[in-house]
Amino acid sequence: MNSAPRRNPDRIPGSASSSSDGALSRPAGPPDAEPHAAWLPEAAFAAIGRRRVAIRGDGALVGTVAAEVAAATAAHGGSFTRLESGSGVSDADLVLTLTEDDDADLPSPPPPTTSRAGDHANLPRGRASTERNDVVGAQRGGVGAQDDVVGEQDGGDESFRVSREDGAVVVEAACDQGLLYGFFHVARLGEAAFDGPDLVERHAPASGLRMLDHWDNVAVHAVMGQVERGYAGGSIFFADGKVRADLSRVEAYARLLASTGINRVAINNVNVHAREARLLTDDLPHVARIAAAFRPWGIRVHLSVSFAAPMTLGGLGTSDPLDPAVASWWRDAADRAWAEIPDFGGFVVKADSEGQPGPFAYGRDHADGANMLAAAVAPHGGIVHWRAFVYDHRQDWRDRSTDRARAAHDHFAPLDGRFAENVIVQVKYGPMDFQVREPVSPVIAAMPDTRVALELQVTQEYTGQQKHAVYLGRQWSEILNFDFAGPDRDDARHAPDSDATPKSDAAPGSDAAPNSADPSHALPPTSVAGIVARSGGIVAVSNAGDDEFWTGHPFAQANLYAYGRLTWDPTADPDALLDEWVALTFPDAAADVVHALHTILDESWETYERYTSPLGVGFMVRPGHHYGPDVDGYEYTPWGTYHFADRDGIGVDRTVATGTGYAGLYPEPWASLYESPATCPDELLLFFHHVPYTHVLHSGKTVIQHIYDTHFDGVERVESFVAAWDRVRGSLPDDGAADRADRVGLADRVGLADRVGLADRVAERLAEQLRSATEWRDQVNTYFYRKSGVPDERGRTIY
Ligand code: GCV
């Protein structure tokens, strides 16, 4: 069904690297085998490929678009013309053009307005995004800072405009990066791009910073493996203790990411071990090769660095951020990085967190540390992503006064206004650690004078480790659209005349007005997306590896896809994004297959929550690897992740009145809503309150009955997933596994039996999901039955 990506024709088979995912059949296959096409099979380009396409303009990324169009038209029978600058464009079904001064034959571009994210009305026309003109630090973001433009760091306008007249489509962009995004926009729409009434739309990303962080190690770590919290085989960047010689897999990855809108990637783990620290020094020429693989796709590379590098790499006696020799070492390091990689992005730093070195050792704070690095990268237009994931991981579990949920706020909120302009404080979405359900971190709203990025986790550390089918688009959409101004503000978001809705860019009477589609217009400045889009952008931990299907579970591709699309437009409907992914990835699928995909994925996040940890309780997982149930696994540990269940009740009292005071860190009305069990949303009740098992929820059920019901129901839902897949798996068209092995001459070497097709891979994972969900159900129900002594009112089996 999926043909292979056309950019990797002749690759050299290499040796297998180790995998951190041991339980199921090795996900990766031979690492250099041609991977699954994911959401960009050749068929996804059929609508473009069978038409007459013209491209006009110069710039590296126009070359990328031209290569895509050439391949599509060659495969599907259309024609492709590369036009000289200034030439007419009338005879094509699809014109992809950089804006030129004499474009009389094209609809005029949108009028200049106040700048917004991704909007660069004053840029010269027809500009290539390779002409970097960084203005990092020119503006500061924050709540309500609507004129701030993170995207200006790229020096390029990423927006594009689509017009359709009598079925002929023109995509026009001021910069080549915008043209690339416009091309993928048309590919995504397929025939629909050419059908329907005439229109003019303008598209721009909500944020200029749309990033993925990899937690890849160069050397295989004794405990964490090649990819920390990676469930998709080895690293696509590193193997055998060095940067891979063959980076064609990185090119294919870059293409996938660019098609969703991602524009930055950090390539190594934020836990920077000794070998990985040297990426910043000895390995720079190889990092430059990785950057070169990403560059044609408009993606800039960043490195995670160790705060102790001046000592470990530089031989200094200190890493004190206020020591001039330390600052000088970092300046030199930055100079070398940018000399090697002119469009290098900057540093990602995990400092004073889970054992990583940081400024605390010298009595300095996070602003001291971050600002020193910021000064080193500023001359190059670089950014420092400084993570706010800071807490005491050596807590005494007997100490009820310390609350890990407070930690990031306690450390960072007092520093608001002290960070340099090119520091982005990167905040995990919740106050704990990527649980299936947490409240949104109050830190995001607490630093109006700091650039703040949201950090999500695409890799499924706590959400089934890519053995469980869990589509996270709905979770991320909920987080992004959480409004610190209160729950009622959500409805106001789309009201045309609401205060929360910035005015349209399109001037009255302009041709852009009727169909304008610029997502930055719809973001209330008090929503998570509104804050970070205008400030520090959106970052997530990637779920991709050298697995044949990229993501271990083939359906986890949907998460990578939806994440990218949501960074571009946080208001996008996550269910519609799932539809997009299904349509692109399974273009020939029969209706019953599509139905099965939706049966499994539509409410898979909620299903996972049901059979694992309802009502906001987290961390009932096996310590260390975090897979499978262990209700008390973290209860008596130093990690600060407790549920405090006893014979009478469960939950953490985080109220101001009687608890840790965490609820009071939110602006009103949330502080009051969370403070009282009467108004706290059911799904977060046990995060904020310790209540008796007999406490009655808004749903009318007691807490204990809710625990029983959700766990039984969760497993039944997984049973229905298995049944749905069993019904259709035989009718799935060939997914090309055998072909892919054949094409690279691997069929004989590895044996086709090692190449599991997509239908089988999914079936295998669903079987494990059912086994695991059953274990969750029985352990959690039994634990709470034994603690509480309250029987299930429906008399089902509990042990
Ligand atoms: C990279 C959690 C994970 C760690 C991860 C850490 C972080 O604690 O379990 O593996 O370390 O988050 O985000 O830094």
Side-chain angles (χ1 to χ4, degrees):
M1 154 189 295
N2 287 302
S3 51
R6 46 184 172 262
R7 308 213 130 255
N8 329 318
D10 300 304
R11 65 188 51 219
I12 307 151
S15 59
S17 58
S18 77
S19 157
S20 58
D21 178 3
L24 298 172
S25 69
R26 187 190 187 288
D32 291 326
E34 206 159 344
H36 185 258
W39 53 86
L40 294 182
E42 208 156 69
F45 298 90
I48 292 178
R50 55 175 156 256
R51 288 186 157 77
R52 297 165 304 162
V53 186
I55 298 185
R56 192 179 63 174
D58 298 317
L61 275 58
V62 179
T64 303
V65 176
E68 287 287 321
V69 171
T73 48
H76 296 283
S79 68
F80 162 50
T81 321
R82 187 95 193 245
L83 299 169
E84 294 297 317
S85 177
S87 45
V89 291
S90 48
D91 270 350
D93 306 312
L94 170 63
V95 178
L96 297 149
T97 179
L98 290 185
T99 309
E100 297 190 346
D101 288 329
D102 54 354
D103 270 340
D105 50 343
L106 293 173
S108 57
T113 60
T114 54
S115 60
R116 296 191 193 287
D119 179 356
H120 301 263
N122 298 325
L123 279 179
R125 302 180 122 207
R127 189 169 150 200
S129 60
T130 42
E131 298 168 37
R132 303 291 182 199
N133 178 23
D134 292 340
V135 289
V136 173
Q139 298 172 9
R140 181 186 285 281
V143 179
Q146 296 197 24
D147 285 344
D148 293 349
V149 182
V150 178
E152 285 188 5
Q153 290 151 3
D154 290 296
D157 183 345
E158 299 179 299
S159 70
F160 61 91
R161 192 173 119 115
V162 185
S163 55
R164 182 173 60 221
E165 206 175 321
D166 298 331
V169 173
V170 177
V171 176
E172 184 189 0
C175 286
D176 55 352
Q177 190 145 348
L179 202 66
L180 181 69
Y181 296 135
F183 164 76
F184 281 121
H185 172 82
V186 174
R188 212 163 30 237
L189 291 174
E191 283 301 330
F194 302 91
D195 287 345
D198 294 355
L199 58 70
V200 181
E201 288 180 349
R202 178 175 172 278
H203 294 264
S207 168
L209 275 163
R210 306 179 302 279
M211 182 158 175
L212 277 163
D213 284 0
H214 279 254
W215 287 353
D216 295 19
N217 298 314
V218 182
V220 175
H221 186 269
V223 178
M224 291 299 173
Q226 177 97 64
V227 181
E228 180 153 350
R229 311 306 180 187
Y231 312 104
S235 168
I236 57 172
F237 306 120
F238 314 115
D240 306 321
K242 50 186 194 284
V243 175
R244 286 176 182 269
D246 176 5
L247 293 176
S248 48
R249 194 64 196 258
V250 177
E251 288 167 33
Y253 179 59
R255 177 172 178 255
L256 287 172
L257 297 191
S259 76
T260 70
I262 295 297
N263 64 1
R264 291 172 186 256
V265 169
I267 61 171
N268 65 305
N269 190 359
V270 290
N271 291 330
V272 184
H273 311 292
R275 173 66 191 87
E276 289 70 29
R278 284 173 26 225
L279 287 168
L280 180 61
T281 52
D282 311 345
D283 291 311
L284 270 179
H286 299 289
V287 177
R289 289 196 295 112
I290 294 176
F294 277 113
R295 192 169 295 120
W297 304 96
I299 296 172
R300 296 169 76 170
V301 159
H302 297 232
L303 281 178
S304 295
V305 297
S306 164
F307 198 76
M311 299 166 79
T312 56
L313 299 177
L316 300 187
T318 178
S319 296
D320 182 349
L322 301 193
D323 186 311
V326 170
S328 160
W329 188 89
W330 279 110
R331 270 197 309 276
D332 291 347
D335 290 351
R336 282 193 305 270
W338 266 275
E340 197 75 54
I341 309 163
D343 58 352
F344 184 60
F347 299 149
V348 181
V349 190
K350 173 176 177 177
D352 289 314
S353 167
E354 298 185 331
Q356 291 297 303
F360 286 175
Y362 308 98
R364 317 299 182 195
D365 62 26
H366 288 283
D368 295 328
N371 291 346
M372 181 272 296
L373 292 178
V377 302
H380 309 284
I383 301 172
V384 172
H385 282 91
W386 190 271
R387 297 178 81 230
F389 182 60
V390 177
Y391 68 99
D392 179 3
H393 72 288
R394 298 206 177 89
Q395 186 184 330
D396 184 345
W397 59 267
R398 300 165 195 83
D399 166 19
R400 297 289 283 258
S401 68
T402 303
D403 179 6
R404 173 168 163 179
R406 292 191 59 113
H409 193 282
D410 290 349
H411 281 293
F412 282 87
L415 300 178
D416 185 33
R418 281 203 39 222
F419 288 97
E421 305 280 357
N422 59 331
V423 172
I424 291 176
V425 173
Q426 186 168 312
V427 183
K428 287 192 181 184
Y429 72 78
M432 299 299 278
D433 192 7
F434 298 137
Q435 300 301 289
V436 66
R437 179 82 67 173
E438 292 184 48
V440 164
S441 171
V443 179
I444 293 164
M447 304 187 71
D449 289 321
T450 304
R451 297 178 62 193
V452 172
L454 172 71
E455 184 176 315
L456 300 170
Q457 195 180 41
V458 187
T459 194
Q460 291 173 238
E461 176 177 3
Y462 295 99
T463 50
Q465 305 202 345
Q466 281 137 254
K467 293 170 184 148
H468 298 222
V470 181
Y471 172 60
L472 291 167
R474 283 158 76 123
Q475 182 196 36
W476 301 330
S477 172
E478 208 171 284
I479 292 163
L480 286 161
N481 291 296
F482 177 85
D483 197 325
F484 284 98
D488 300 338
R489 296 297 289 253
D490 202 42
D491 297 338
R493 189 154 36 109
H494 301 293
D497 292 314
S498 151
D499 287 343
T501 307
K503 295 278 180 280
S504 166
D505 267 358
S510 106
D511 61 355
N515 298 297
S516 187
D518 182 344
S520 65
H521 297 180
L523 299 176
T526 47
S527 72
V528 170
I531 293 168
V532 301
R534 292 170 171 83
S535 171
I538 305 175
V539 182
V541 186
S542 178
N543 67 349
D546 72 356
D547 168 38
E548 176 186 1
F549 294 101
W550 294 98
T551 51
H553 199 311
F555 293 172
Q557 288 178 5
N559 288 329
L560 195 56
Y561 180 82
Y563 168 71
R565 298 278 290 123
L566 283 167
T567 65
W568 181 280
D569 180 4
T571 67
D573 175 356
D575 297 345
L577 295 180
L578 187 57
D579 285 341
E580 274 182 24
W581 175 77
V582 168
L584 288 166
T585 308
F586 301 95
D588 308 320
D592 60 342
V593 174
V594 173
H595 185 258
L597 289 163
H598 282 288
T599 302
I600 295 166
L601 289 172
D602 280 357
E603 292 188 18
S604 50
W605 168 49
E606 293 88 341
T607 300
Y608 186 82
E609 180 182 29
R610 289 173 94 76
Y611 64 75
T612 57
S613 46
L615 304 175
V617 175
F619 281 100
M620 298 195 299
V621 291
R622 278 279 147 90
H625 59 58
H626 297 165
Y627 186 72
D630 190 344
V631 180
D632 275 344
Y634 272 111
E635 198 59 15
Y636 307 103
T637 71
W639 294 93
T641 51
Y642 315 119
H643 53 64
F644 297 128
D646 57 25
R647 66 177 184 174
D648 299 319
I650 176 174
V652 189
D653 183 354
R654 293 192 162 106
T655 64
V656 176
T658 54
T660 69
Y662 170 80
L665 303 181
Y666 288 85
E668 291 293 358
W670 289 109
S672 297
L673 289 172
Y674 289 146
E675 177 75 9
S676 165
T679 49
C680 183
D682 281 352
E683 69 269 16
L684 289 172
L685 183 71
L686 303 182
F687 192 92
F688 283 99
H689 298 278
H690 187 89
V691 296
Y693 293 112
T694 51
H695 173 90
V696 178
L697 299 166
H698 297 116
S699 68
K701 285 185 184 177
T702 61
V703 165
I704 189 72
Q705 194 57 43
H706 179 92
I707 291 173
Y708 297 150
D709 287 352
T710 48
H711 283 83
F712 282 114
D713 177 67
V715 173
E716 281 166 23
R717 290 179 182 209
V718 179
E719 284 166 349
S720 78
F721 297 175
V722 173
W725 195 246
D726 274 351
R727 276 194 296 275
V728 300
R729 64 185 279 202
S731 64
L732 227 70
D734 171 27
D735 73 358
D739 270 4
R740 288 196 295 282
D742 243 355
R743 206 170 306 141
V744 292
L746 285 173
D748 292 343
R749 201 162 72 90
V750 300
L752 286 181
D754 290 353
R755 309 285 301 180
V756 183
L758 184 142
D760 293 340
R761 174 74 73 82
V762 171
E764 178 195 51
R765 303 261 150 169
L766 283 170
E768 165 56 18
Q769 183 172 2
L770 181 56
R771 185 207 64 76
S772 174
T774 306
E775 199 59 27
W776 271 99
R777 178 196 67 192
D778 291 342
Q779 286 202 29
V780 172
N781 282 348
T782 300
Y783 178 96
F784 287 106
Y785 171 62
R786 290 181 186 174
K787 277 263 161 167
S788 69
V790 180
D792 170 33
E793 56 186 33
R794 291 171 57 189
R796 290 163 291 193
T797 304
I798 296 178
Y799 298 89

Short mmCIF file of all heavy atoms in Angstrom, two decimals, residues 42-86:
data_model
loop_
_atom_site.label_atom_id
_atom_site.label_comp_id
_atom_site.label_asym_id
_atom_site.label_seq_id
_atom_site.Cartn_x
_atom_site.Cartn_y
_atom_site.Cartn_z
N GLU A 42 3.84 7.64 -2.01
CA GLU A 42 3.76 8.26 -3.33
C GLU A 42 2.33 8.67 -3.68
O GLU A 42 2.10 9.71 -4.30
CB GLU A 42 4.27 7.26 -4.37
CG GLU A 42 4.85 7.92 -5.59
CD GLU A 42 5.82 6.95 -6.25
OE1 GLU A 42 5.36 5.93 -6.80
OE2 GLU A 42 7.03 7.23 -6.18
N ALA A 43 1.38 7.86 -3.23
CA ALA A 43 -0.03 8.15 -3.56
C ALA A 43 -0.48 9.49 -2.98
O ALA A 43 -1.43 10.10 -3.49
CB ALA A 43 -0.92 7.02 -3.03
N ALA A 44 0.19 9.95 -1.93
CA ALA A 44 -0.22 11.23 -1.33
C ALA A 44 0.03 12.39 -2.28
O ALA A 44 -0.51 13.48 -2.08
CB ALA A 44 0.54 11.45 -0.01
N PHE A 45 0.84 12.14 -3.30
CA PHE A 45 1.17 13.22 -4.24
C PHE A 45 0.46 13.06 -5.58
O PHE A 45 0.80 13.74 -6.54
CB PHE A 45 2.69 13.28 -4.43
CG PHE A 45 3.41 13.58 -3.14
CD1 PHE A 45 3.83 12.56 -2.31
CD2 PHE A 45 3.61 14.89 -2.74
CE1 PHE A 45 4.44 12.82 -1.10
CE2 PHE A 45 4.23 15.17 -1.53
CZ PHE A 45 4.65 14.14 -0.71
N ALA A 46 -0.52 12.18 -5.62
CA ALA A 46 -1.17 11.88 -6.91
C ALA A 46 -1.86 13.11 -7.49
O ALA A 46 -1.76 13.39 -8.69
CB ALA A 46 -2.16 10.73 -6.75
N ALA A 47 -2.55 13.87 -6.64
CA ALA A 47 -3.32 15.01 -7.16
C ALA A 47 -2.38 16.05 -7.79
O ALA A 47 -2.68 16.60 -8.85
CB ALA A 47 -4.14 15.64 -6.04
N ILE A 48 -1.27 16.27 -7.16
CA ILE A 48 -0.28 17.19 -7.74
C ILE A 48 0.37 16.54 -8.96
O ILE A 48 0.54 17.16 -10.01
CB ILE A 48 0.80 17.56 -6.70
CG1 ILE A 48 0.18 18.41 -5.59
CG2 ILE A 48 1.97 18.30 -7.35
CD1 ILE A 48 1.15 18.78 -4.47
N GLY A 49 0.72 15.26 -8.77
CA GLY A 49 1.54 14.57 -9.77
C GLY A 49 0.88 14.39 -11.11
O GLY A 49 1.56 14.25 -12.13
N ARG A 50 -0.44 14.42 -11.16
CA ARG A 50 -1.05 14.24 -12.48
C ARG A 50 -1.40 15.58 -13.15
O ARG A 50 -2.03 15.62 -14.19
CB ARG A 50 -2.26 13.33 -12.43
CG ARG A 50 -3.36 13.66 -11.49
CD ARG A 50 -4.53 12.66 -11.69
NE ARG A 50 -5.32 12.59 -10.47
CZ ARG A 50 -5.27 11.61 -9.62
NH1 ARG A 50 -4.48 10.57 -9.83
NH2 ARG A 50 -6.02 11.61 -8.54
N ARG A 51 -0.98 16.66 -12.58
CA ARG A 51 -1.32 17.98 -13.15
C ARG A 51 -0.11 18.65 -13.81
O ARG A 51 1.01 18.16 -13.71
CB ARG A 51 -1.88 18.86 -12.04
CG ARG A 51 -3.27 18.41 -11.65
CD ARG A 51 -3.93 19.34 -10.66
NE ARG A 51 -5.39 19.19 -10.72
CZ ARG A 51 -6.06 18.17 -10.17
NH1 ARG A 51 -5.42 17.21 -9.54
NH2 ARG A 51 -7.38 18.11 -10.29
N ARG A 52 -0.41 19.79 -14.42
CA ARG A 52 0.66 20.62 -14.98
C ARG A 52 1.09 21.59 -13.89
O ARG A 52 0.30 22.40 -13.42
CB ARG A 52 0.15 21.39 -16.19
CG ARG A 52 -0.29 20.47 -17.34
CD ARG A 52 -1.11 21.26 -18.34
NE ARG A 52 -2.26 21.88 -17.69
CZ ARG A 52 -2.96 22.88 -18.20
NH1 ARG A 52 -2.65 23.38 -19.38
NH2 ARG A 52 -3.99 23.40 -17.55
N VAL A 53 2.33 21.46 -13.50
CA VAL A 53 2.81 22.24 -12.35
C VAL A 53 3.95 23.14 -12.80
O VAL A 53 4.85 22.72 -13.52
CB VAL A 53 3.31 21.31 -11.22
CG1 VAL A 53 3.68 22.13 -9.98
CG2 VAL A 53 2.28 20.25 -10.87
N ALA A 54 3.89 24.38 -12.36
CA ALA A 54 4.98 25.33 -12.66
C ALA A 54 5.54 25.87 -11.35
O ALA A 54 4.79 26.14 -10.41
CB ALA A 54 4.45 26.47 -13.51
N ILE A 55 6.86 26.00 -11.34
CA ILE A 55 7.52 26.56 -10.16
C ILE A 55 8.35 27.75 -10.58
O ILE A 55 9.08 27.70 -11.57
CB ILE A 55 8.44 25.51 -9.50
CG1 ILE A 55 7.61 24.32 -9.02
CG2 ILE A 55 9.22 26.12 -8.35
CD1 ILE A 55 8.39 23.30 -8.26
N ARG A 56 8.25 28.81 -9.80
CA ARG A 56 9.04 30.00 -10.13
C ARG A 56 9.71 30.53 -8.87
O ARG A 56 9.06 30.65 -7.83
CB ARG A 56 8.13 31.07 -10.72
CG ARG A 56 8.89 32.20 -11.36
CD ARG A 56 7.94 33.22 -11.95
NE ARG A 56 7.12 33.84 -10.94
CZ ARG A 56 6.28 34.85 -11.18
NH1 ARG A 56 6.12 35.29 -12.40
NH2 ARG A 56 5.58 35.37 -10.21
N GLY A 57 10.98 30.82 -8.98
CA GLY A 57 11.71 31.40 -7.85
C GLY A 57 13.01 30.66 -7.59
O GLY A 57 13.24 29.57 -8.09
N ASP A 58 13.85 31.29 -6.80
CA ASP A 58 15.14 30.71 -6.46
C ASP A 58 15.22 30.51 -4.95
O ASP A 58 14.42 31.04 -4.20
CB ASP A 58 16.28 31.64 -6.88
CG ASP A 58 16.27 31.83 -8.38
OD1 ASP A 58 16.08 30.83 -9.10
OD2 ASP A 58 16.40 32.99 -8.82
N GLY A 59 16.25 29.79 -4.56
CA GLY A 59 16.43 29.53 -3.13
C GLY A 59 16.50 28.03 -2.91
O GLY A 59 15.90 27.25 -3.65
N ALA A 60 17.26 27.65 -1.88
CA ALA A 60 17.52 26.24 -1.66
C ALA A 60 16.23 25.44 -1.51
O ALA A 60 16.09 24.34 -2.05
CB ALA A 60 18.38 26.08 -0.41
N LEU A 61 15.29 26.01 -0.80
CA LEU A 61 14.08 25.23 -0.53
C LEU A 61 13.14 25.21 -1.73
O LEU A 61 12.29 24.31 -1.85
CB LEU A 61 13.37 25.77 0.72
CG LEU A 61 13.88 25.20 2.04
CD1 LEU A 61 15.36 25.44 2.26
CD2 LEU A 61 13.08 25.71 3.21
N VAL A 62 13.30 26.16 -2.65
CA VAL A 62 12.56 26.05 -3.91
C VAL A 62 13.08 24.83 -4.66
O VAL A 62 12.32 24.09 -5.29
CB VAL A 62 12.71 27.32 -4.77
CG1 VAL A 62 11.94 27.17 -6.08
CG2 VAL A 62 12.20 28.55 -4.02
N GLY A 63 14.39 24.58 -4.54
CA GLY A 63 14.96 23.37 -5.15
C GLY A 63 14.35 22.11 -4.55
O GLY A 63 14.07 21.14 -5.26
N THR A 64 14.11 22.15 -3.25
CA THR A 64 13.48 21.00 -2.60
C THR A 64 12.08 20.78 -3.15
O THR A 64 11.68 19.66 -3.48
CB THR A 64 13.40 21.24 -1.07
OG1 THR A 64 14.71 21.48 -0.59
CG2 THR A 64 12.79 20.05 -0.37
N VAL A 65 11.33 21.88 -3.28
CA VAL A 65 9.97 21.77 -3.81
C VAL A 65 10.02 21.25 -5.25
O VAL A 65 9.24 20.37 -5.64
CB VAL A 65 9.25 23.15 -3.77
CG1 VAL A 65 7.87 23.06 -4.41
CG2 VAL A 65 9.13 23.64 -2.32
N ALA A 66 10.97 21.76 -6.02
CA ALA A 66 11.08 21.34 -7.42
C ALA A 66 11.36 19.84 -7.52
O ALA A 66 10.78 19.14 -8.35
CB ALA A 66 12.17 22.14 -8.12
N ALA A 67 12.23 19.35 -6.64
CA ALA A 67 12.54 17.91 -6.67
C ALA A 67 11.30 17.09 -6.31
O ALA A 67 11.04 16.03 -6.90
CB ALA A 67 13.69 17.61 -5.70
N GLU A 68 10.54 17.59 -5.36
CA GLU A 68 9.30 16.89 -4.98
C GLU A 68 8.32 16.86 -6.16
O GLU A 68 7.73 15.82 -6.45
CB GLU A 68 8.64 17.60 -3.80
CG GLU A 68 9.35 17.41 -2.48
CD GLU A 68 9.18 16.01 -1.92
OE1 GLU A 68 8.07 15.44 -2.03
OE2 GLU A 68 10.17 15.46 -1.39
N VAL A 69 8.16 18.01 -6.79
CA VAL A 69 7.21 18.08 -7.90
C VAL A 69 7.68 17.23 -9.07
O VAL A 69 6.89 16.52 -9.71
CB VAL A 69 7.01 19.55 -8.34
CG1 VAL A 69 6.19 19.62 -9.63
CG2 VAL A 69 6.32 20.34 -7.24
N ALA A 70 8.99 17.27 -9.33
CA ALA A 70 9.52 16.45 -10.44
C ALA A 70 9.22 14.98 -10.19
O ALA A 70 8.79 14.25 -11.10
CB ALA A 70 11.02 16.69 -10.57
N ALA A 71 9.43 14.55 -8.96
CA ALA A 71 9.19 13.13 -8.64
C ALA A 71 7.70 12.81 -8.74
O ALA A 71 7.31 11.76 -9.27
CB ALA A 71 9.72 12.82 -7.24
N ALA A 72 6.87 13.71 -8.26
CA ALA A 72 5.42 13.45 -8.27
C ALA A 72 4.88 13.39 -9.69
O ALA A 72 4.10 12.49 -10.04
CB ALA A 72 4.69 14.53 -7.47
N THR A 73 5.31 14.35 -10.51
CA THR A 73 4.78 14.36 -11.88
C THR A 73 5.34 13.19 -12.69
O THR A 73 4.65 12.63 -13.53
CB THR A 73 5.10 15.71 -12.58
OG1 THR A 73 6.48 16.03 -12.37
CG2 THR A 73 4.24 16.83 -12.02
N ALA A 74 6.57 12.81 -12.41
CA ALA A 74 7.13 11.63 -13.11
C ALA A 74 6.35 10.38 -12.72
O ALA A 74 6.07 9.51 -13.56
CB ALA A 74 8.61 11.47 -12.76
N ALA A 75 5.96 10.28 -11.47
CA ALA A 75 5.26 9.08 -11.00
C ALA A 75 3.81 9.04 -11.46
O ALA A 75 3.24 7.96 -11.66
CB ALA A 75 5.31 9.00 -9.48
N HIS A 76 3.19 10.21 -11.64
CA HIS A 76 1.74 10.20 -11.86
C HIS A 76 1.33 10.78 -13.22
O HIS A 76 0.14 10.96 -13.49
CB HIS A 76 1.04 10.97 -10.74
CG HIS A 76 1.20 10.31 -9.40
ND1 HIS A 76 0.48 9.20 -9.01
CD2 HIS A 76 2.03 10.59 -8.36
CE1 HIS A 76 0.85 8.83 -7.79
NE2 HIS A 76 1.80 9.66 -7.36
N GLY A 77 2.31 11.08 -14.07
CA GLY A 77 1.96 11.42 -15.46
C GLY A 77 1.71 12.88 -15.73
O GLY A 77 1.27 13.24 -16.83
N GLY A 78 1.95 13.75 -14.80
CA GLY A 78 1.76 15.18 -15.05
C GLY A 78 2.99 15.80 -15.69
O GLY A 78 3.87 15.10 -16.19
N SER A 79 3.03 17.13 -15.68
CA SER A 79 4.20 17.80 -16.24
C SER A 79 4.69 18.86 -15.27
O SER A 79 3.93 19.39 -14.45
CB SER A 79 3.85 18.44 -17.58
OG SER A 79 2.96 19.51 -17.36
N PHE A 80 5.96 19.18 -15.43
CA PHE A 80 6.59 20.09 -14.49
C PHE A 80 7.45 21.08 -15.24
O PHE A 80 8.26 20.70 -16.08
CB PHE A 80 7.44 19.24 -13.51
CG PHE A 80 8.47 20.02 -12.77
CD1 PHE A 80 8.16 21.20 -12.11
CD2 PHE A 80 9.78 19.56 -12.70
CE1 PHE A 80 9.12 21.90 -11.41
CE2 PHE A 80 10.75 20.25 -12.01
CZ PHE A 80 10.42 21.44 -11.36
N THR A 81 7.24 22.36 -14.98
CA THR A 81 8.04 23.41 -15.62
C THR A 81 8.68 24.27 -14.55
O THR A 81 8.01 24.69 -13.61
CB THR A 81 7.14 24.35 -16.45
OG1 THR A 81 6.15 23.58 -17.09
CG2 THR A 81 7.96 25.13 -17.45
N ARG A 82 9.97 24.49 -14.71
CA ARG A 82 10.65 25.44 -13.82
C ARG A 82 10.75 26.75 -14.57
O ARG A 82 11.41 26.82 -15.62
CB ARG A 82 12.03 24.85 -13.48
CG ARG A 82 12.80 25.62 -12.44
CD ARG A 82 12.60 25.04 -11.06
NE ARG A 82 13.10 25.96 -10.05
CZ ARG A 82 14.11 25.71 -9.24
NH1 ARG A 82 14.72 24.54 -9.31
NH2 ARG A 82 14.50 26.61 -8.36
N LEU A 83 10.10 27.77 -14.09
CA LEU A 83 10.02 29.03 -14.83
C LEU A 83 11.13 29.98 -14.43
O LEU A 83 11.56 30.01 -13.28
CB LEU A 83 8.68 29.71 -14.55
CG LEU A 83 7.45 28.93 -14.96
CD1 LEU A 83 6.20 29.57 -14.39
CD2 LEU A 83 7.35 28.85 -16.48
N GLU A 84 11.54 30.76 -15.41
CA GLU A 84 12.47 31.84 -15.14
C GLU A 84 11.76 32.92 -14.35
O GLU A 84 10.56 33.13 -14.51
CB GLU A 84 12.96 32.47 -16.47
CG GLU A 84 13.80 31.57 -17.34
CD GLU A 84 15.09 31.18 -16.65
OE1 GLU A 84 15.72 32.06 -16.04
OE2 GLU A 84 15.44 29.99 -16.70
N SER A 85 12.52 33.63 -13.58
CA SER A 85 11.97 34.78 -12.89
C SER A 85 11.36 35.75 -13.90
O SER A 85 11.93 35.99 -14.96
CB SER A 85 13.12 35.44 -12.13
OG SER A 85 12.65 36.58 -11.49
N GLY A 86 10.20 36.26 -13.61
CA GLY A 86 9.55 37.23 -14.47
C GLY A 86 8.68 36.64 -15.56
O GLY A 86 7.94 37.34 -16.23
#
